[in-house]
Amino acid sequence: ETQVAGHTAAQGCLGLLKSSNDGTVLKPTGKLQCGIREIAFYEQLKPLQAMQLATERSTDPVTTGSLQQLSCLVPRYYGHPKLPIGGKEMEFIQLEDLTEGYEQPCIMDVKIGRRTWDPMATPEKRKAEESKYKACRQTFGLCIPGFQVYSVHDSDDRKDRLVRHGKDYGKQLTESNIRDAFQLFLNATPDGRVNQELVHSLLHDVRQIQGWSHCQTTFRLYSSSVLLLYDAAHLKTVTSMKQSNKSLTRNDHHSDGTLPAAEPINRRPWAAAKMIDFAHAFTKETDDAGTTRDDNYIQGVDSLVAILNQFLEIDTI
């Protein structure tokens, strides 16, 4: 139910399946060659992710463009099980559920790249892809196929309402109004202020992706996305705590002289960004591009950083 883009159940497709108890989701592999490519992409990262888990690595990966760094920037991968669905066996990609533990998951799918068709695409496919999200892709090298957000600043009778927008909304976005989409997603106040802890958290992860993309020369990523996500319930908590701290004085102690207890730390970040969707991930050897860098991907992720950076210039809340 939190899938905001791609092949969804609402479109008559199988869509993502969520496990009831292990914190993972199952993504259908789709077309044969797409599934083969995406499984191969994750399989080469699986040993590196296992190594991170064994060492409980918590530091930021060094920006080298390596597979080691890339393995930190994507959801954890658990294999490609086959399950009986509707009387036939189907293959899935089992991934970490990035919204596990979120009370009010806010999710935006940002598709990266001015060009979204891969080297194997037919002329018809290329023409169809070029016609989608044209204004945003040509200007920013990205587009927004869908997002959902729980509104935290509405009046009491509408507070916490879920707002969902799909591809029809995304196709209307241009250079002049794409900022409005991000303001809505980031839960900006009516006067345009955005919680700075939220923006810094998202920017931290997107800059890691940006750093990797500028250094790596192995992959060409087409129709891949950066998933932005945060928990609106936690956003309300940090906003109210900040407002409370403004009135905190030296007398704000318990009767025994101790300070109020801090809230427990959640192991999963309450705001994050991850790279997803690698059905059209090609290595340089199988791609027809002649450059060493993936400039198509770099343009999009650079634009995403620039858009998020704009919200650092606004008064904090």
Side-chain angles (χ1 to χ4, degrees):
E1 63 188 22
T2 56
Q3 184 179 355
V4 297
H7 302 290
T8 65
Q11 299 171 338
C13 304
L14 184 59
L16 290 177
L17 302 180
K18 178 171 170 56
S19 171
S20 60
N21 57 9
D22 66 359
T24 66
V25 293
L26 296 171
K27 176 184 178 180
T29 52
K31 296 178 181 178
L32 179 61
Q33 289 302 316
C34 291
I36 290 173
R37 280 193 296 267
E38 188 154 24
I39 289 171
F41 180 90
Y42 277 113
E43 281 290 334
Q44 61 188 317
L45 301 179
K46 189 175 182 180
L48 299 172
Q49 291 186 331
M51 190 184 308
Q52 296 164 23
L53 189 62
T55 58
E56 295 186 349
R57 181 178 180 179
S58 59
T59 56
D60 289 336
V62 178
T63 301
T64 61
S66 66
L67 288 179
Q68 179 72 56
Q69 184 189 11
L70 175 61
S71 69
C72 302
L73 305 177
V74 304
R76 191 170 298 280
Y77 168 71
Y78 295 96
H80 50 104
K82 294 181 179 179
L83 299 172
I85 302 289
K88 61 181 180 179
E89 191 175 64
M90 294 189 63
E91 189 171 29
F92 295 86
I93 297 172
Q94 188 171 14
L95 299 168
E96 165 191 14
D97 179 3
L98 298 172
T99 64
E100 178 71 14
Y102 283 12
E103 293 180 41
Q104 296 179 320
C106 301
I107 309 161
M108 176 181 277
D109 185 309
V110 184
K111 186 171 288 190
I112 302 296
R114 181 172 183 171
R115 167 182 159 181
T116 56
W117 47 269
D118 67 40
M120 308 298 291
T122 64
E124 293 77 18
K125 176 67 172 178
R126 296 183 184 196
K127 185 177 181 180
E129 286 296 311
E130 290 292 343
S131 66
K132 298 177 182 177
Y133 308 98
K134 208 165 187 178
C136 273
R137 283 194 302 101
Q138 288 185 346
T139 303
F140 300 105
L142 58 77
C143 61
I144 303 175
F147 69 94
Q148 73 170 38
V149 60
Y150 285 86
S151 178
V152 302
H153 297 302
D154 282 336
S155 57
D156 289 340
D157 60 331
R158 303 185 72 195
K159 189 169 288 187
D160 296 331
R161 69 187 175 100
L162 176 62
V163 178
R164 288 180 65 96
H165 287 298
K167 58 185 180 181
D168 290 339
Y169 176 92
K171 289 175 181 177
Q172 297 174 18
L173 296 177
T174 65
E175 183 176 5
S176 63
N177 64 7
I178 192 171
R179 181 186 172 93
D180 297 338
F182 279 90
Q183 276 193 313
L184 176 59
F185 174 70
L186 295 172
N187 258 301
T189 61
D191 59 355
R193 294 178 298 147
V194 177
N195 181 277
Q196 294 297 283
E197 184 178 340
L198 170 59
V199 180
H200 278 287
S201 295
L202 294 177
L203 264 174
H204 172 274
D205 287 2
V206 177
R207 284 173 178 154
Q208 293 285 338
I209 296 169
Q210 180 187 39
W212 174 84
S213 69
H214 276 262
C215 292
Q216 74 90 21
T217 57
T218 302
F219 295 103
R220 299 293 179 268
L221 303 179
Y222 303 101
S223 202
S224 181
S225 291
V226 171
L227 199 69
L228 306 178
L229 58 154
Y230 69 93
D231 187 356
H234 191 93
L235 175 63
K236 288 184 291 187
T237 300
V238 296
T239 301
S240 63
M241 286 179 64
K242 183 167 185 179
Q243 291 171 344
S244 298
N245 286 340
K246 289 180 180 179
S247 60
L248 186 67
T249 69
R250 294 175 63 183
N251 295 323
D252 288 327
H253 293 67
H254 291 309
S255 57
D256 62 358
T258 62
L259 287 168
E263 294 207 355
I265 298 175
N266 189 346
R267 289 182 65 86
R268 179 180 293 278
W270 73 275
K274 291 286 186 180
M275 299 169 63
I276 61 167
D277 295 341
F278 304 105
H280 302 279
F282 286 73
T283 58
K284 188 174 184 300
E285 289 74 18
T286 58
D287 184 26
D288 59 0
T291 59
T292 56
R293 299 197 321 167
D294 188 355
D295 291 323
N296 181 60
Y297 191 90
I298 287 172
Q299 180 195 5
V301 76
D302 282 356
S303 293
L304 181 55
V305 169
I307 291 170
L308 290 173
N309 265 329
Q310 294 177 24
F311 293 97
L312 294 178
E313 302 170 357
I314 299 174
D315 291 338
T316 62
I317 58 170

